[in-house]
């Protein structure tokens, strides 16, 4: 009997092994096998113990299989984040929404489409699509700000983002108080209690140089207000007014813009402000050096000409009798172009101010000091007057400061005169008949002419001269202290003896 049962058991083992091998065979579709699937289904049944297992065994099998597939690959995907281009397009979509009832209202904007077309003839510009978006962005700015005049000043490039710059002028009755001026006014008062305190420590006799006051709004470098945004459709940010200190510091450094207004300016000499202040200083410098117009388009008023001389004129008006200058003549001669923005002096202002003048309340000066001040009175700094021809501009390392040409030599009767600045690469101007425009597309840096050399740090101050009043003495030894004490006691005893003898003599006399 044992001999007959052994082959039967071996046959069953071989059958079970073949059957298990068959169940362990992976599927070509899902990479699963039946043996592991049955094991998982039975485990699920034993864990959950549902009623009527026979009726729900198919559903439980599907759930087990679905759970394995979800771990590896799911048909449900996470929503990918919207790209920056899509977000920008959604914001720019608002520019194309029509506002009701604004077609007949006069706008302070120029015809940006015409300006873009003429700039395209000159070989510069933003392209037709971007020009349209910029025009709609400027329209949005005009609707949010009470501006009497607004135009596209240009575009300044940056390492992380660019700046679209708009130049505007507020209406006389609706211009608010400048925020920076209010902040400066809050920081001006000083505590008088510190001066009243008695300070036994030595006080420094150094007097810092007087701070050059900034020019008021609507005058000098702060004549216009500037707004910037990174892309059309984004929020316009108003730049602060510029100070002479910031302009002076900007002349000694060269920094690329980042595209972030709150970015710090790390430089030497240190710049007093962040990127917004540096951007405003560069805009003032570029405008003063590159804003030009055809000769005769502007003229000085008669009243101003009678009261002030040519060097002190600060304003002008359009000439109604201007008929335009032929394009070939403007392309050949720089004397047909003039500067219509005031020159910035070395002081950082357009109008020189005498820092030696003191307030009228200070009457404690002596006569000698007044004589010295009169002898050291600084000479007023005078720059080139307004409407000075471009032919008088200084050359840059034997290179002309300007380059003029015609937009087309093949069809000269329809060409325009194009002017390019070599001092500020990226500044352009065009003129055609009675129309002209200035614009800037660049990095906001001035042409150095040669290799740029940073400003060297100042020489370190010399150490204080050693003398007996500051020389530290050595501590005396014990023997020296005892000898000094004995000498002082002998001196005191001799002094007391002398006083006693003097008292006895006075008694004898009595």
């Amino acid at each position: 009997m044992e001999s007959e049962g052994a082959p039967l058991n071996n046959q069953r083992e071989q059958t079970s092994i073949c059957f298990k091998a068959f169940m362990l065979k992976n599927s070509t579709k899902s990479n699963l096998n039946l043996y592991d699937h049955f094991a998982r289904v039975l485990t699920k049944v034993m864990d959950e113990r549902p009623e009527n297992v026979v009726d729900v065994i198919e559903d439980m099998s599907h759930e087990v299989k679905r759970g394995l597939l979800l771990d590896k690959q799911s048909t449900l995907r996470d929503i990918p984040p919207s790209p920056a281009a899509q977000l920008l397009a959604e914001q720019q979509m608002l520019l194309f929404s029509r506002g009701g009832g604004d077609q007949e209202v006069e706008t302070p904007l120029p015809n940006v489409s015409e300006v873009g077309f003429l700039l395209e003839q000159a070989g510069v510009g933003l392209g037709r699509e971007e020009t349209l978006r910029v025009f709609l962005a400027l329209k949005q700015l005009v609707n949010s700000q009470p501006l009497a005049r607004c135009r596209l000043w240009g575009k300044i490039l940056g390492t992380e983002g660019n700046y679209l710059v708009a130049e505007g002028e507020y209406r006389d009755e609706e211009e608010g108080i400048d925020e920076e001026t209010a902040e400066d006014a809050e920081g001006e008062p000083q505590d008088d209690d510190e001066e009243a305190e008695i300070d036994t420590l030595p006080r420094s006799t150094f007097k810092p140089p007087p701070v050059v006051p900034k020019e008021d709004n609507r005058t000098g470098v702060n004549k216009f207000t500037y707004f910037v945004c990174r892309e059309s459709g984004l929020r316009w940010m108003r730049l602060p007014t510029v100070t002479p200190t910031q302009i002076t510091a900007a002349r000694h450094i060269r920094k690329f813009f980042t595209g972030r207004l709150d970015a710090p300016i790390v430089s030497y000499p240190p710049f007093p402000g962040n990127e917004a202040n540096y951007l405003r200083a560069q805009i003032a410098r570029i405008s003063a050096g590159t804003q030009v117009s055809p000769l005769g388009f502007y003229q000085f008023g008669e009243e101003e000409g009678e009261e002030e001389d040519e060097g002190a004129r600060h304003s002008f008006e359009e000439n109604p009798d201007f008929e335009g200058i032929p394009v070939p003549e403007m392309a050949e001669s720089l004397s047909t172009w003039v500067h219509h923005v005031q020159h910035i002096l070395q002081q950082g202002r357009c109008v020189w101010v005498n820092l030696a003048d003191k307030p009228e309340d200070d009457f404690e000066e002596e006569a000698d000091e007044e004589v010295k001040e009169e002898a050291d009175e600084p000479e007023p700094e005078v720059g080139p007057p307004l409407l000075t021809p471009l032919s008088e501009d200084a050359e840059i390392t034997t290179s002309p400061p300007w380059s003029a040409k015609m937009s087309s030599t093949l069809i000269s009767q329809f060409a325009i005169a194009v002017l390019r600045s070599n001092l500020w690469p990226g500044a352009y101007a065009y003129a055609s008949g009675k129309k002209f425009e200035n614009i800037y597309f660049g990095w906001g840096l001035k042409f150095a002419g040669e290799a740029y050399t940073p400003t060297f740090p100042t020489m370190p101050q010399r150490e204080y001269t050693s003398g007996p009043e500051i020389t530290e003495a050595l501590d005396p030894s014990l023997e020296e202290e005892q000898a000094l004490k004995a000498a002082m006691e002998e001196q005191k005893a001799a002094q007391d003896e002398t006083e006693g003898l003097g008292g006895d003599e006075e008694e004898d006399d009595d």
Side-chain angles (χ1 to χ4, degrees):
M1 296 296 292
E2 295 179 357
S3 60
E4 295 179 357
L8 183 61
N9 293 334
N10 294 335
Q11 185 178 1
R12 291 177 179 177
E13 291 179 359
Q14 292 179 357
T15 304
S16 61
I17 291 173
C18 294
F19 183 71
K20 185 177 181 180
F22 174 76
M23 295 181 66
L24 289 174
K25 187 177 180 180
N26 291 335
S27 173
T28 57
K29 295 182 179 180
S30 59
N31 197 21
L32 299 175
N33 58 76
L34 184 61
Y35 184 86
D36 293 338
H37 180 65
F38 277 164
R40 295 189 184 95
V41 172
L42 292 177
T43 302
K44 185 177 178 64
V45 170
M46 296 302 295
D47 292 341
E48 297 181 1
R49 297 181 181 274
E51 297 181 359
N52 302 326
V53 181
V54 178
D55 299 332
V56 297
I57 188 68
E58 293 86 355
D59 298 335
M60 298 180 71
S61 175
H62 284 297
E63 290 180 4
V64 170
K65 189 180 294 186
R66 187 182 300 109
L68 295 175
L69 294 176
L70 289 176
D71 293 339
K72 296 181 180 180
Q73 183 178 6
S74 174
T75 55
L76 299 177
R77 300 291 183 180
D78 295 334
I79 300 177
S82 301
Q86 180 180 351
L87 297 177
L88 179 61
E90 293 176 356
Q91 293 178 339
Q92 291 180 344
M93 188 183 301
L94 301 177
L95 297 175
F96 295 89
S97 60
R98 297 182 58 184
D102 60 346
Q103 299 180 357
E104 299 180 358
V105 179
E106 295 183 1
T107 175
L109 291 174
N111 191 344
V112 182
S113 300
E114 182 182 5
V115 173
F117 172 76
L118 295 176
L119 289 175
E120 185 178 355
Q121 302 302 313
V124 295
L126 300 174
R128 298 184 180 180
E129 293 183 2
E130 187 173 1
T131 301
L132 177 60
R133 291 195 296 268
V134 170
F135 173 75
L136 296 176
L138 292 176
K139 180 182 176 183
Q140 190 180 47
L141 174 63
V142 170
N143 294 336
S144 61
Q145 297 287 339
L147 299 177
R149 190 181 70 86
C150 182
R151 74 178 189 92
L152 176 63
W153 184 89
K155 184 176 184 178
I156 291 184
L157 308 179
T159 57
E160 301 178 12
N162 306 325
Y163 290 115
L164 288 172
V165 185
E167 181 184 85
E169 185 176 4
Y170 279 96
R171 300 168 188 167
D172 295 338
E173 66 276 5
E174 297 188 16
E175 183 175 6
I177 300 176
D178 187 41
E179 298 178 357
E180 187 179 352
T181 305
E183 294 178 359
D184 295 342
E186 293 177 358
E188 287 179 359
Q190 299 180 355
D191 296 336
D192 297 335
D193 298 338
E194 297 181 359
E195 300 180 357
E197 294 180 358
I198 300 176
D199 190 0
T200 58
L201 297 176
R203 309 185 71 176
S204 175
T205 58
F206 171 76
K207 295 183 179 180
V211 179
V212 182
K214 71 175 182 180
E215 295 179 301
D216 298 333
N217 292 342
R218 298 179 178 271
T219 60
V221 294
N222 295 319
K223 183 176 182 180
F224 299 106
T225 305
Y226 293 91
F227 302 86
V228 296
C229 69
R230 297 189 62 173
E231 291 289 347
S232 301
L234 301 183
R235 180 184 176 187
W236 287 96
M237 302 296 294
R238 177 182 174 181
L239 294 179
T241 55
V242 66
T243 62
T245 306
Q246 294 169 352
I247 293 180
T248 304
R251 288 171 170 169
H252 294 86
I253 63 176
R254 292 177 67 85
K255 296 285 292 185
F256 282 110
F257 293 96
T258 63
R260 294 180 287 108
L261 293 176
D262 58 347
I265 302 296
V266 182
S267 64
Y268 183 83
F271 183 82
N274 53 13
E275 185 165 302
N277 303 106
Y278 179 59
L279 176 62
R280 181 63 182 85
Q282 291 298 92
I283 290 175
R285 296 178 61 200
I286 296 173
S287 299
T290 62
Q291 299 289 318
V292 297
S293 59
L295 177 65
F297 185 87
Y298 293 112
Q299 65 179 1
F300 295 109
E302 297 180 356
E303 298 179 359
E304 186 179 2
E306 295 176 358
E307 296 178 358
E308 302 179 0
D309 54 354
E310 295 182 357
R313 293 174 177 175
H314 308 315
S315 61
F316 47 81
E317 60 185 15
E318 293 188 12
N319 183 10
D321 301 330
F322 178 73
E323 297 295 336
I325 302 175
V327 172
E329 184 178 351
M330 298 193 70
E332 293 177 359
S333 176
L334 293 178
S335 59
T336 58
W337 300 83
V338 297
H339 292 277
H340 62 262
V341 176
Q342 288 180 278
H343 174 76
I344 301 179
L345 306 176
Q346 292 296 326
Q347 198 179 44
R349 294 168 50 99
C350 293
V351 180
W352 184 79
V353 60
N354 187 4
L355 299 179
D357 292 342
K358 295 188 176 181
E360 299 178 358
D361 299 338
D362 190 3
F363 295 104
E364 298 180 357
E365 298 179 353
E366 298 180 359
D368 295 340
E369 296 181 355
E370 294 179 358
V371 173
K372 291 181 181 180
E373 290 180 358
E374 292 179 359
D376 299 339
E377 188 73 18
E379 295 183 1
E381 185 181 356
V382 179
L386 278 173
L387 305 185
T388 300
L390 270 59
S391 56
E392 299 182 8
D393 290 2
E395 295 184 354
I396 316 165
T397 62
T398 68
S399 299
W402 298 91
S403 298
K405 67 174 184 178
M406 295 178 60
S407 61
S408 175
T409 56
L410 301 177
I411 313 176
S412 57
Q413 58 271 25
F414 298 107
I416 61 176
V418 182
L419 192 65
R420 177 172 60 89
S421 174
N422 298 326
L423 183 62
W424 291 95
Y428 294 89
Y430 73 84
S432 176
K434 297 183 179 181
K435 299 179 181 179
F436 77 94
E437 188 58 66
N438 296 270
I439 204 160
Y440 179 84
F441 300 108
W443 294 92
L445 297 178
K446 188 177 181 180
F447 177 68
E450 54 187 12
Y452 171 70
T453 302
T455 304
F456 291 100
T458 57
M459 295 296 294
Q461 296 182 353
R462 297 181 179 179
E463 295 185 1
Y464 194 86
T465 305
S466 298
E469 68 276 3
I470 64 170
T471 302
E472 184 177 359
L474 298 177
D475 294 338
S477 61
L478 180 60
E479 292 77 7
E480 292 176 350
E481 289 183 356
Q482 292 177 354
L484 178 61
K485 184 177 181 180
M488 293 178 64
E489 289 179 354
E490 292 179 359
Q491 183 180 0
K492 183 177 181 181
Q495 185 178 0
D496 294 342
E497 185 179 356
T498 303
E499 293 178 355
L501 294 175
D504 296 339
E505 291 178 357
E506 291 179 358
E507 294 178 358
D508 295 342
D509 293 340
D510 294 339

